Amino acid sequence: MDLLDPLILARWQFGLTTLYHFLFVPLTLGMGLVVAIFQSAWVRTGNTTWLQLTRLFGKIFLINFAMGVVTGIVQEFQFGMNWSAYSRFVGDIFGAPLAFEGLLAFFFEATFIGLWIFGWDRLSKRVHLATIWMAWIGATLSAYFILAANAFMQNPVGYTMAEDGHRAELTDFWAVLTNKVALATFPHTMFASLMFAAAVVIAVAAWHLARHQHLDMMRSALRFGMWTMLIAFAGVALAGDQLGLAMVETQPMKMAAAEALYNTATGANASFSIFSLGTPDGSSEIWSLRVPYLLSFLSTHSLDGTVEGINDLNALYAQRWPELAQQLAARGDNFAPTIWVTYWSFRWMMGFGGLAALVSVVGLWLTRKNAKRAVPQWAWRIAIWSAPLPLLGSLVGWVFTEMGRQPWIVFGLMLTEDGVSPSVPGWNVLISLIAFTAIYAVLAVVEFGLILKTAKKGPEPLPDPETASEDAANVPTTVY
Amino acid sequence: MDLAYLWFFIVGVLFVGYFVLDGFDFGVGMSLPFLGKDDVSRRQIINTIGPVWDLNETWVIVAGACLFAAFPEWYATLFSGFYLALLLILLALIARGVSFEYRHQRDSLRWKKGFDTLIVVGSALPAFLWGVAVANIVHGVPIDANHEFTGSLLTLLNPYGLLGGLTTLLLFFTHGVYFVALKTDGQVRQDARRLATRSGILTVVVAAAFLIWTVVNAASGSAPALALVIACAALAAVLLIGSVVANLAGREGWAFGFGAGTVVFAVLTLWLALFPNVMPSTTDPAFSLTIENASSTDYTLTIMSWAALIFLPLVLLYQGWTYWIFRKRVSRSRIEQAAAQAH
């Protein structure tokens, strides 16, 4: 492998910066909703417990927000910097949802978050509450447009090829926005983000409860978090099921790769392996734990459906795109993604999510109203340490969905290797890869430290209205 | 094809918005070592842009996305061509953005000093490099028949590009110091007014040189909008001088307003000098990217036009409201009070 191969470096950079960006996105999407709910509960009931929770989790939410913005700029810039051939090819289509995201959603979100942070004593209670909801709506819309753009890469729709074949041109924007992959990915991602926010609420609450601090407030937060987790998990599973169907229909190779299914199978033979031992690419397995019919059911919603295998799909694709097949074969490749990555990331995604939900089921039982025994310390510890589970699930989920699309950058239209910037020398990409890795690593440590500190410090006492100065209504209490 | 011309204008407006808004908060960031004598005054300065720097910065994301959508060829050539310059801008913006959020999280003076340095560098580097980048776009760079940039980072560091960078650096600096004077009280306000006078005069000299060079270039290249280029350059110059005069007269609001106007017309001067190209090639004019050959299809542009025409006014409305909500000066006493509350 050539160390200065721009393609490999650009791919690593995209993977790294995207996953890193996605550390912050779920907390913005999920925690934004949680904080908005807490604040609504306070405005409705006047119970200051909810106000304190709003402020505590609001602070965690904000430590994270600036990171989401700055890492988002990197995302947008690198399409042009590292993937200029791709940008030229799909810009007519792919750029539009990005522009919509900016104009409709992102401006909205960033403005209202600023108003929410600094507007506590400048806006009326209700207007201030509205700002956090507005910010969340902006974030949600933003997520939709980005996922629609990504869905075009998974399942291109609403386009036609230019006469000279140099680019894909948009013919139906509505089709791009209602891409069936986008429609399934959106709720899947939103619910997964909510799971992560719930897990953070649970962990913070458990940490304080284990130390017998703020008992009433944290018990409310804990139970709220656990119920939210279960509801969100149900949402993730249902949307994931729909996404699976859409995947089989639009990218059958991805489903085959998820299961390391080399030969087409039907009915009982289309079994789902929960775990397997064997070569990393799953081509020869030593032992596996299998559930018959399950793969068939997941793929087709029918017990005797047929699931196409990698080998058969490869043959089919080679027939459809003979030139590209030769191009791939020249470097010993074919139309299948890296199987061990897809196989394991698919399992870990579901495993992490399932574990997180299980913790909540047990937790709800242990903390029920008429529970006779106190919750044991080990249970608190598990609740605290399970905080990253949904995030890990989301991250490997993205690894699966993006690596599973390989070797295509746009499925059926453009190979990843053809999308890279032709004029950028490898050492430029290497420098930027090193720079981003270094700065992101430092920031991750600082960010994590700050969130931890805030979480451990817990809710802050509310200011005494008696001592607040006369002009308090006109100056921000929140200052840097 | 007419819509592509409209989008050349809209992308220009978005960059005008970005340079006016992030421009002054770059200036505020750069002013820290000059105006921030102690931690309270540094906090006072940073809090003038606290509620707005984030939304100011979003303008570059939107401008970039619209450039991508409306002119994919331009976006691809520019972003892959100016690779290292943009990388430096990105790193600077990251360092700056997180510094605002992190500096107040701990009470250690060393912690704060470190982030203050990052704010200064993170503001100065983009303020300079954006000028270099835009000047080079206008001036033209080596681009081959496939619309690929064939130069390097050094290609960009030519005299005209460097002068462009110096101009934006000084312009944003002065513009930011006006803003500090407008939004603070006490010692910081007085210091800011004095500093703005000095930096303002220096800016007039450098900006005049850059604008004249731009006009001369445009005239020798027979730019179709030459009359407008000259008019905009003249307006920028008048507004800049006006801002210095207003500052001397103690009219901070006018000084800041004129400063913003200077940025608007300076960017318009460059945009009109560029027209109808979007990225001229110095290798061969036939390889130049133009509004016509770099744009998206009419269908894409139509959809985006509706979005922009409906949502841009709305954006200006709610962002204007934000500035209205936070219109009060950031007083020293208030910062001290907030610091006392935190303990």
Side-chain angles (χ1 to χ4, degrees):
Chain A
M1 187 185 88
D2 183 2
L3 182 69
L4 285 178
D5 180 353
L7 173 65
I8 291 168
L9 293 168
R11 286 187 64 184
W12 272 104
Q13 185 167 322
F14 193 83
L16 174 92
T17 54
T18 305
L19 289 181
Y20 193 76
H21 179 56
F22 207 75
L23 290 177
F24 309 104
V25 174
L27 212 51
T28 305
L29 293 172
M31 196 57 95
L33 179 61
V34 167
V35 172
I37 291 173
F38 283 162
Q39 191 171 345
S40 303
W42 170 59
V43 171
R44 272 194 83 87
T45 64
N47 181 347
T48 50
T49 299
W50 298 116
L51 176 59
Q52 282 181 294
L53 287 173
T54 306
R55 288 195 173 247
L56 171 61
F57 289 102
K59 205 168 169 195
I60 292 174
F61 167 71
L62 291 176
I63 290 171
N64 165 76
F65 184 75
M67 291 289 281
V69 175
V70 292
T71 56
I73 306 181
V74 175
Q75 290 307 99
E76 180 193 284
F77 275 37
Q78 75 176 324
F79 286 117
M81 289 167 73
N82 288 339
W83 304 98
S84 68
Y86 165 78
S87 299
R88 287 182 211 280
F89 183 68
V90 297
D92 196 59
I93 301 153
F94 190 81
L98 297 190
F100 269 66
E101 190 241 1
L103 284 167
L104 270 69
F106 194 49
F107 265 149
F108 200 69
E109 176 189 2
T111 308
F112 282 98
I113 279 196
L115 280 164
W116 185 73
I117 305 172
F118 291 89
W120 277 96
D121 36 21
R122 298 217 162 183
L123 300 168
S124 77
K125 232 182 193 182
R126 284 180 182 278
V127 174
H128 186 254
L129 174 63
T131 59
I132 184 80
W133 280 106
M134 298 284 224
W136 181 72
I137 290 168
T140 304
L141 264 177
S142 180
Y144 192 82
F145 285 119
I146 295 301
L147 291 173
N150 179 267
F152 181 82
M153 299 168 82
Q154 313 286 348
N155 176 37
V157 291
Y159 74 97
T160 176
M161 287 304 293
E163 273 167 32
D164 59 358
H166 77 293
R167 69 172 177 187
E169 295 179 340
L170 186 61
T171 55
D172 187 351
F173 191 53
W174 186 245
V176 171
L177 290 183
T178 56
N179 190 332
K180 68 175 69 151
V181 175
L183 291 178
T185 312
F186 175 67
H188 192 60
T189 312
M190 292 302 288
F191 281 121
S193 299
L194 189 58
M195 280 180 73
F196 179 50
V200 172
V201 173
I202 292 167
V204 173
W207 196 86
H208 288 281
L209 288 171
R211 282 161 187 73
H212 301 286
Q213 298 163 357
H214 318 290
L215 288 179
D216 284 344
M217 179 191 304
M218 287 305 172
R219 190 171 181 281
S220 304
L222 185 85
R223 306 267 308 173
F224 172 87
M226 287 175 164
W227 280 114
T228 306
M229 172 72 82
L230 292 183
I231 294 165
F233 180 70
V236 166
L238 287 174
D241 177 55
Q242 289 302 310
L243 186 54
L245 292 182
M247 186 168 75
V248 170
E249 200 184 318
T250 57
Q251 295 166 288
M253 181 66 99
K254 200 194 264 187
M255 188 49 135
E259 187 47 31
L261 181 76
Y262 280 83
N263 299 306
T264 301
T266 304
N269 286 328
S271 60
F272 184 89
S273 74
I274 292 170
F275 189 86
S276 79
L277 288 175
T279 51
D281 69 354
S283 56
S284 66
E285 72 179 31
I286 299 163
W287 175 85
S288 69
L289 178 61
R290 289 181 165 274
V291 184
Y293 296 108
L294 184 57
L295 180 62
S296 171
F297 183 76
L298 286 177
S299 310
T300 61
H301 271 199
S302 141
L303 288 182
D304 48 36
T306 298
V307 185
E308 290 171 287
I310 296 163
N311 294 337
D312 305 285
L313 286 166
N314 245 326
L316 184 75
Y317 289 179
Q319 235 172 30
R320 200 183 300 171
W321 296 289
E323 280 172 36
L324 294 180
Q326 275 178 357
Q327 188 181 332
L328 288 168
R331 55 180 174 83
D333 206 349
N334 56 39
F335 289 101
T338 312
I339 305 297
W340 68 269
V341 175
T342 50
Y343 179 87
W344 285 112
S345 56
F346 192 61
R347 268 145 201 79
W348 282 110
M349 170 182 76
M350 296 197 280
F352 284 132
L355 271 179
L358 187 66
V359 169
S360 283
V361 172
V362 175
L364 282 170
W365 170 254
L366 287 175
T367 59
R368 71 194 184 281
K369 255 217 171 83
N370 48 2
K372 297 237 161 51
R373 290 177 40 207
V375 177
Q377 281 296 323
W378 58 261
W380 292 130
R381 221 164 291 147
I382 288 176
I384 294 163
W385 284 98
S386 67
L389 289 177
L391 184 64
L392 291 171
S394 292
L395 291 179
V396 289
W398 272 111
V399 169
F400 170 69
T401 205
E402 296 292 272
M403 289 292 284
R405 190 188 64 229
Q406 303 302 327
W408 301 102
I409 194 165
V410 184
F411 184 81
L413 290 185
M414 187 184 221
L415 293 179
T416 303
E417 60 192 78
D418 296 327
V420 79
S421 298
S423 63
V424 175
W427 63 271
N428 281 11
V429 192
L430 183 65
I431 287 176
S432 67
L433 177 61
I434 292 170
F436 282 128
T437 309
I439 197 168
Y440 278 8
V442 172
L443 290 177
V445 173
V446 177
E447 157 107 7
F448 184 66
L450 286 174
I451 288 185
L452 217 57
K453 195 182 118 191
T454 307
K456 285 183 175 176
K457 198 169 160 209
E460 294 183 18
L462 295 166
D464 182 358
E466 305 266 309
T467 59
S469 66
E470 277 288 294
D471 65 343
N474 296 318
V475 282
T477 42
T478 319
V479 287
Y480 284 141
Chain B
M1 267 302 166
D2 294 343
L3 279 178
Y5 290 89
L6 174 70
W7 270 92
F8 179 72
F9 174 72
I10 294 177
V11 169
V13 168
L14 290 167
F15 274 102
V16 165
Y18 175 63
F19 288 132
V20 168
L21 296 173
D22 227 12
F24 80 72
D25 65 41
F26 286 147
V28 172
M30 285 187 274
S31 75
L32 275 181
F34 301 93
L35 301 173
K37 302 272 160 59
D38 57 4
D39 189 52
V40 178
S41 57
R42 282 193 289 272
R43 289 183 62 185
Q44 210 181 339
I45 293 163
I46 292 170
N47 274 288
T48 61
I49 52 168
V52 294
W53 73 266
D54 207 358
L55 73 93
N56 292 347
E57 197 157 292
T58 55
W59 279 77
V60 76
I61 301 185
V62 179
C66 287
L67 184 64
F68 189 176
F71 299 99
E73 287 289 321
W74 186 8
Y75 169 80
T77 306
L78 176 66
F79 280 60
S80 62
F82 291 13
Y83 196 95
L84 292 177
L86 290 174
L87 173 68
L88 282 173
I89 289 176
L90 283 176
L91 296 175
L93 291 182
I94 293 172
R96 188 179 94 106
V98 297
S99 297
F100 287 133
E101 298 297 330
Y102 292 164
R103 89 176 286 284
H104 64 110
Q105 302 274 3
R106 260 189 217 171
D107 249 345
S108 134
L109 219 59
R110 246 190 70 200
W111 170 274
K112 290 186 171 182
K113 258 212 150 85
F115 282 115
D116 287 345
T117 310
L118 284 181
I119 289 176
V120 176
V121 176
S123 301
L125 210 55
F128 176 71
L129 288 172
W130 279 124
V132 173
V134 175
N136 273 291
I137 293 174
V138 175
H139 181 258
V141 285
I143 293 172
D144 68 15
N146 296 320
H147 289 173
E148 297 292 346
F149 175 77
T150 54
S152 70
L153 182 61
L154 291 178
T155 319
L156 305 184
L157 302 179
N158 54 65
Y160 180 74
L162 290 172
L163 185 62
L166 191 61
T167 305
T168 49
L169 184 78
L170 284 169
L171 192 57
F172 292 162
F173 181 83
T174 306
H175 186 38
V177 177
Y178 290 148
F179 188 75
V180 175
L182 178 64
K183 296 290 285 183
T184 56
D185 68 354
Q187 191 65 42
V188 173
R189 180 182 176 189
Q190 286 176 22
D191 290 351
R193 270 160 59 174
R194 221 168 301 136
L195 179 64
T197 305
R198 275 180 288 157
S199 73
I201 291 168
L202 186 61
T203 309
V204 170
V205 176
V206 174
F210 178 67
L211 286 173
I212 291 170
W213 195 339
T214 305
V215 170
V216 169
N217 267 353
S220 65
S222 65
L226 186 60
L228 280 173
V229 174
I230 295 171
C232 283
L235 260 173
V238 170
L239 285 166
L240 182 57
I241 293 166
S243 74
V244 177
V245 173
N247 180 63
L248 278 169
R251 305 300 298 263
E252 292 150 354
W254 285 102
F256 178 69
F258 286 147
T262 310
V263 178
V264 172
F265 284 101
V267 177
L268 282 181
T269 306
L270 294 168
W271 228 248
L272 289 165
L274 186 58
F275 182 88
N277 288 318
V278 294
M279 233 175 144
S281 169
T282 52
T283 312
D284 181 340
F287 302 158
S288 292
L289 278 84
T290 64
I291 292 176
E292 305 236 345
N293 73 17
S295 70
S296 285
T297 56
D298 257 359
Y299 176 72
T300 298
L301 293 175
T302 307
I303 290 170
M304 297 226 313
S305 300
W306 284 110
L309 294 179
I310 294 169
F311 286 95
L312 264 185
L314 204 66
V315 169
L316 291 174
L317 216 63
Y318 62 67
Q319 293 205 342
W321 182 58
T322 303
Y323 278 89
W324 175 250
I325 295 284
F326 300 111
R327 66 192 176 278
K328 285 253 162 160
R329 286 179 189 271
V330 181
S331 70
R332 190 173 169 92
S333 61
R334 186 59 203 175
I335 299 278
E336 279 163 343
Q337 204 180 324
Q341 261 178 23
H343 291 294

